[in-house]
Amino acid sequence: MLHVVFFEPRIPGNTGNAIRLAAATGATLHLVEPLGFVMDEPRLKRAGLDYHDLAHVVVHPDLDAAMAALATSRVFAFTTHTSTRFTDVRFRDGDALLFGPEPTGLPPEALEHPGVTNRLRIPMLPGRRSLNLTNAAATAVYEAWRQLGFPGGI
């Protein structure tokens, strides 16, 4: 099982889409507070459609609590501030993929957290700031799941 971690997400629609991603892939979605919305926000529910009951979502009060819950996992922080591509990693069952909030990305204290195994980037054309949060998460999750052989997938 893979873990997707959204550090202080702010846009309910992105988190709703991540709930759908977690349900579709079997990943666990971890949300690190503070959240920029309440979990019963209509836009969150609309974006997640009827997948809420099919996804495993865990809310953590802070990054330290999330990292403690993922203590046996390798944690990969996604950022534009590295040269290591996400496709250069051989993902393993139980790995965690950490993404920062819209629009700032992960702050230095998250990138430098002792629980972070490595920093990874998703290649883009020059002059582009970033992908949408859930698009980035989906890109990384599907690569990791592909490398694992799509366990449980049809």
Side-chain angles (χ1 to χ4, degrees):
M1 173 183 299
L2 296 167
H3 301 273
V4 177
V5 184
F6 278 11
F7 176 81
E8 299 181 1
R10 297 183 182 135
I11 300 174
N14 281 338
T15 301
N17 286 329
I19 289 169
R20 291 173 69 181
L21 174 65
T25 61
T28 297
L29 177 61
H30 299 261
L31 304 175
V32 178
E33 293 180 321
L35 309 179
F37 50 86
V38 293
M39 288 299 288
D40 61 357
E41 168 104 19
R43 289 178 292 177
L44 176 77
K45 292 197 177 287
R46 189 175 328 118
L49 294 174
D50 56 351
Y51 288 85
H52 292 266
D53 293 338
L54 301 174
H56 186 201
V57 180
V58 181
V59 180
H60 302 280
D62 55 39
L63 186 58
D64 287 334
M67 290 296 198
L70 297 166
T72 60
S73 299
R74 298 187 307 169
V75 178
F76 296 98
F78 282 75
T79 178
T80 58
H81 304 293
T82 186
S83 59
T84 305
R85 293 178 177 174
F86 77 109
T87 53
D88 294 337
V89 172
R90 297 304 312 158
F91 291 102
R92 299 191 303 230
D93 187 35
D95 282 348
L97 313 174
L98 172 63
F99 298 89
E102 323 85 339
T104 60
L106 289 168
E109 62 270 17
L111 289 169
E112 296 164 7
H113 192 283
V116 171
T117 304
N118 201 354
R119 298 177 190 184
L120 303 177
R121 76 177 297 121
I122 298 172
M124 294 181 292
L125 293 174
R128 278 58 169 192
R129 288 178 300 144
S130 65
L131 290 171
N132 167 278
L133 174 59
T134 308
N135 290 343
T139 298
V141 167
Y142 269 91
E143 172 60 15
W145 196 33
R146 181 195 68 80
Q147 287 183 19
L148 297 171
F150 297 112
I154 54 171

